[in-house]
Amino acid sequence: MNEFIEMISFVLRLATPLLALIIVTICFISLIHGKRTKHALIVLEDEERDIIYPVYFWENSIGRSRGSDIRINDGTVSRDHAVLLRRDNGWFITDTDSKAGVYVNGDKTDGRQPVYIGDQIAIGTSVLTLKRAKDSVPEEERKRKKRQPVNGSVILSFITVYILITAAEAIINMANADVVLPALGFLVIMWGFYIISKRIFKRKSFELESIALMMSGTGIVLSASHDTHQATVQLAAMLVGIILFCFMIWFIEIPDRVMKWRLAISILAICLLGSSLVLGSVQNGAKNWIVLGPISVQPSEFAKIAYIFVGASTLDQLQTKKNLFGFIAVTGLCLGLLFLMSDFGTAVIFFATFLIIAFMRSGDIKTVILAITAAVLGVIVILTVKPYIAQRFAAWGHVWEYAGEEGYQQVNTLIYSASGGLFGVGLSKGHLQYVFASENDLVFGLVSEEMGLLLALLFGFVIGGLMIYSRNVTTRSRSTFYSMAACSAGGLLVFQAALNIFGVVDILPLTGVTLPFISYGGSSMAACWGILAFIKAADERTYSGKKLKPRKEKKVPTPDIQPDEIDDDSEEYIEV
């Protein structure tokens, strides 16, 4: 009888990574096919020089610089002269502190100036006429049928089977049904989330949410197989994270609204970190937890979201020095507070995110090298002033020599991860669960031991895939804000996952950060859903279900959308 039960358990463990791979493959293929093809939205024509500049993006830099989206090789044009951008109510142009200024139909612009089809825009000595882009779209592109995203209910059906199989395997191993309620609770929340997204928010795609749900569900079932209270906390945190995700999608729908709140969000980021320093309690050497009765919160997790808000920006705001200096000041304050809290893992994540944003702002690798050099010098100073910090990383690269001391966690992780093999020993049957922090800091090893190395590696590749997707989708984003925020969010998740995975196997120092969506920790779970919202917002399909109300004005800057461009993958516009 025991052999029969063990055989069933093994078959279920074989099915788990296969189902997960199917879910991930379907989601990423749908994401890749959902990207808008590259064709001009409008064109700028220099009739005197017989030059046509196609406009491909929602926000376009105009200038003499090689990095400009619309490069005008004219000595009277500044390197970063202007920004041509599109909003739901039309096209606008903004002078970004150029020397010669920007003129529309002979009048000098002041701030954002609406522009219409047929208007003449003077950039230096070049006069550009705004025209429709009918002729710039190839005929075969006009006739090409857009691929629809995979039906979310199909993906969720696979996830349902995946969760039920995982839960069944845990029930067999545990010989009790403690995992049933958390698993069923997860499925109820998952399907409720999908119905609300589809029916109320009119979302046309659900791939990113499906990936996050699969990983979150894995973490919840894993927690339930060891401690039902932890699973309940994770389930509640996931619900909070989904609500945060939905709120953020609504909030960042209008980039200009985000820019108005940018100062307040900067202050919020600093206050979140400052609250830990003032009200927090020390846990595992870092003062980064605030305990409120039975609830404990890690504000630094939510400060990551606020920091991305601060770093990302619309293109016309991006090219101002005031915007850049403000970002650098907030970064310095955040890193300083994190060092005072001794939360070095989060500090490294913040700095990595800063490098991504700094490179996207400048497009210059020299800026990144300069920032890294300054950081190295700062670390040397800190280690000189506070040498005890270096002692925390004494076991790095030598964990076997410190197996009974600083290297105890990593040594056990390496041993038990290897014992799990490709398909694991079974949920609740591993030995790493008895090692401190196995369910959060060491969770990659716990998944490897109990669920198998194949599934653990798949989760690592999934997070890496989110970063690649973030990079690819940003070329069609509705704003530079979305591009920067999505790449920053993807990079943050990848770097955090790398610190967790490589830290437990002694490739990097063990810094005590969580594995996104899977590690136990309510603050981490909710914050990861909030970070995912930045990637979701970069996809044009996210807002494609919104219907714009007709305007009564006789003349408004209407977007130049051709009838063949309005389909299930693009936004609907009312002609006025």
Side-chain angles (χ1 to χ4, degrees):
M1 185 63 180
N2 289 335
E3 292 180 358
F4 178 71
I5 293 175
E6 181 60 33
M7 183 183 69
I8 294 176
S9 176
F10 180 69
V11 171
L12 294 177
R13 294 202 303 276
L14 286 176
T16 302
L18 177 61
L19 274 172
L21 180 60
I22 292 173
I23 294 166
V24 169
T25 302
I26 292 174
C27 289
F28 276 109
I29 289 176
S30 182
L31 285 171
I32 292 171
H33 290 316
K35 188 172 67 171
R36 175 172 68 86
T37 54
K38 183 177 180 179
H39 56 72
L41 303 173
I42 55 172
V43 296
L44 293 173
E45 183 175 353
D46 188 336
E47 297 174 344
E48 182 178 343
R49 296 181 173 88
D50 195 23
I51 300 175
I52 295 178
Y53 302 97
V55 178
Y56 294 112
F57 312 116
W58 285 62
E59 294 182 348
N60 308 266
S61 58
I62 303 175
R64 199 176 72 252
S65 170
R66 291 182 180 273
S68 298
D69 298 313
I70 301 171
R71 188 187 180 201
I72 302 177
N73 193 13
D74 184 342
T76 62
V77 176
S78 300
R79 290 180 57 82
D80 299 308
H81 198 107
V83 168
L84 178 67
L85 55 86
R86 169 175 143 183
R87 291 293 180 259
D88 284 342
N89 57 338
W91 288 93
F92 298 84
I93 193 164
T94 304
D95 182 0
T96 53
D97 300 328
S98 66
K99 293 181 180 179
V102 176
Y103 294 81
V104 176
N105 298 327
D107 297 325
K108 188 172 183 180
T109 62
D110 182 17
R112 279 190 187 176
Q113 173 71 37
V115 288
Y116 307 86
I117 298 299
D119 281 353
Q120 292 188 326
I121 305 170
I123 307 288
T125 58
S126 299
V127 179
L128 310 176
T129 303
L130 189 69
K131 294 187 175 183
R132 300 184 184 278
K134 289 181 179 179
D135 298 333
S136 69
V137 183
E139 185 65 24
E140 59 272 16
E141 178 60 30
R142 291 176 177 272
K143 296 180 178 179
R144 189 179 69 88
K145 187 177 181 180
K146 304 288 184 179
R147 291 197 181 187
Q148 298 299 313
V150 175
N151 193 315
S153 61
V154 174
I155 304 176
L156 263 59
S157 296
F158 277 107
I159 296 177
T160 300
V161 175
Y162 168 82
I163 292 297
L164 291 177
I165 287 178
T166 307
E169 198 258 326
I171 292 171
I172 291 174
N173 295 333
M174 297 167 61
N176 66 59
D178 288 347
V179 74
V180 170
L181 286 179
L184 292 179
F186 167 79
L187 293 177
V188 169
I189 293 175
M190 178 182 74
W191 282 100
F193 178 32
Y194 172 69
I195 292 171
I196 292 173
S197 296
K198 191 74 173 178
R199 300 291 176 83
I200 298 178
F201 298 136
K202 307 297 182 182
R203 303 281 182 247
K204 294 187 176 298
S205 61
F206 204 72
E207 303 98 338
L208 285 173
E209 295 93 325
S210 297
I211 292 171
L213 284 166
M214 184 193 73
M215 297 179 69
S216 300
T218 303
I220 289 169
V221 174
L222 182 66
S223 295
S225 67
H226 300 138
D227 187 332
T228 53
H229 172 70
Q230 288 186 356
T232 302
V233 171
Q234 286 296 88
L235 197 60
M238 187 188 77
L239 180 58
V240 172
I242 289 173
I243 294 172
L244 176 62
F245 174 87
C246 295
F247 169 78
M248 286 184 56
I249 291 295
W250 167 81
F251 181 70
I252 61 184
E253 178 182 356
I254 304 175
D256 295 334
R257 175 167 57 200
V258 178
M259 298 310 297
K260 290 179 181 178
W261 283 87
R262 195 164 178 267
L263 177 59
I265 295 173
S266 303
I267 297 172
L268 175 63
I270 296 170
C271 290
L272 285 170
L273 297 176
S275 65
S276 295
L277 195 61
V278 176
L279 305 174
S281 58
V282 178
Q283 295 187 22
N284 305 325
K287 194 176 183 180
N288 57 357
W289 287 93
I290 295 179
V291 180
L292 304 171
I295 301 175
S296 58
V297 181
Q298 194 171 1
S300 59
E301 292 291 339
F302 299 99
K304 296 174 186 176
I305 300 174
Y307 183 71
I308 293 176
F309 269 117
V310 175
S313 180
T314 56
L315 192 59
D316 54 345
Q317 294 290 326
L318 189 65
Q319 295 183 177
T320 62
K321 294 181 179 179
K322 180 180 178 181
N323 186 293
L324 176 62
F325 291 152
F327 171 60
I328 293 175
V330 172
T331 300
L333 284 171
C334 289
L335 291 177
L337 289 170
L338 287 168
F339 275 110
L340 289 175
M341 293 156 51
S342 297
D343 192 352
F344 304 112
T346 304
V348 173
I349 293 171
F350 265 71
F351 183 69
T353 307
F354 166 75
L355 293 180
I356 294 172
I357 295 174
F359 178 73
M360 293 190 71
R361 279 174 168 269
S362 64
D364 187 1
I365 195 65
K366 295 177 184 177
T367 304
V368 176
I369 294 174
L370 181 62
I372 293 175
T373 303
V376 171
L377 293 175
V379 170
I380 293 173
V381 172
I382 291 172
L383 294 179
T384 303
V385 177
K386 297 182 177 182
Y388 71 89
I389 294 177
Q391 297 175 4
R392 296 188 181 184
F393 304 106
W396 176 32
H398 308 280
V399 293
W400 296 100
E401 299 173 20
Y402 295 86
E405 301 172 353
E406 289 88 349
Y408 178 79
Q409 290 175 298
Q410 289 144 300
V411 166
N412 279 274
T413 300
L414 290 168
I415 293 173
Y416 294 131
S417 295
S419 68
L422 294 178
F423 303 105
V425 298
L427 286 170
S428 80
K429 296 177 68 175
H431 296 284
L432 188 61
Q433 61 179 301
Y434 303 111
V435 177
F436 176 72
S438 62
E439 71 283 357
N440 40 50
D441 298 349
L442 312 180
V443 76
F444 180 80
L446 188 63
V447 173
S448 298
E449 182 189 15
E450 298 192 358
M451 305 183 76
L453 182 62
L454 287 179
L455 192 62
L457 290 177
L458 178 63
F459 290 146
F461 284 120
V462 166
I463 296 174
L466 290 177
M467 177 60 198
I468 296 173
Y469 169 73
S470 300
R471 168 62 185 85
N472 290 338
V473 78
T474 53
T475 59
R476 306 291 183 270
S477 292
R478 298 165 67 245
S479 170
T480 303
F481 170 82
Y482 296 127
S483 300
M484 297 184 67
C487 284
S488 302
L492 188 153
L493 292 175
V494 165
F495 199 78
Q496 181 170 322
L499 286 178
N500 180 278
I501 295 171
F502 297 135
V504 299
V505 297
D506 199 32
I507 296 176
L508 293 174
L510 184 62
T511 52
V513 299
T514 57
L515 185 62
F517 298 106
I518 297 177
S519 289
Y520 170 67
S523 298
S524 175
M525 172 69 83
C528 285
W529 276 95
I531 292 170
L532 185 71
F534 291 116
I535 304 177
K536 179 71 175 179
D539 186 349
E540 283 187 317
R541 297 176 300 168
T542 299
Y543 303 107
S544 61
K546 178 188 174 186
K547 296 183 182 296
L548 301 181
K549 296 180 180 180
R551 294 176 179 267
K552 296 181 180 180
E553 292 87 354
K554 292 183 179 180
K555 186 180 182 183
V556 294
T558 55
D560 182 34
I561 301 296
Q562 307 305 325
D564 57 299
E565 294 178 48
I566 303 176
D567 52 31
D568 290 335
D569 290 337
S570 64
E571 297 195 36
E572 297 183 35
Y573 289 90
I574 303 298
E575 196 164 326
V576 292

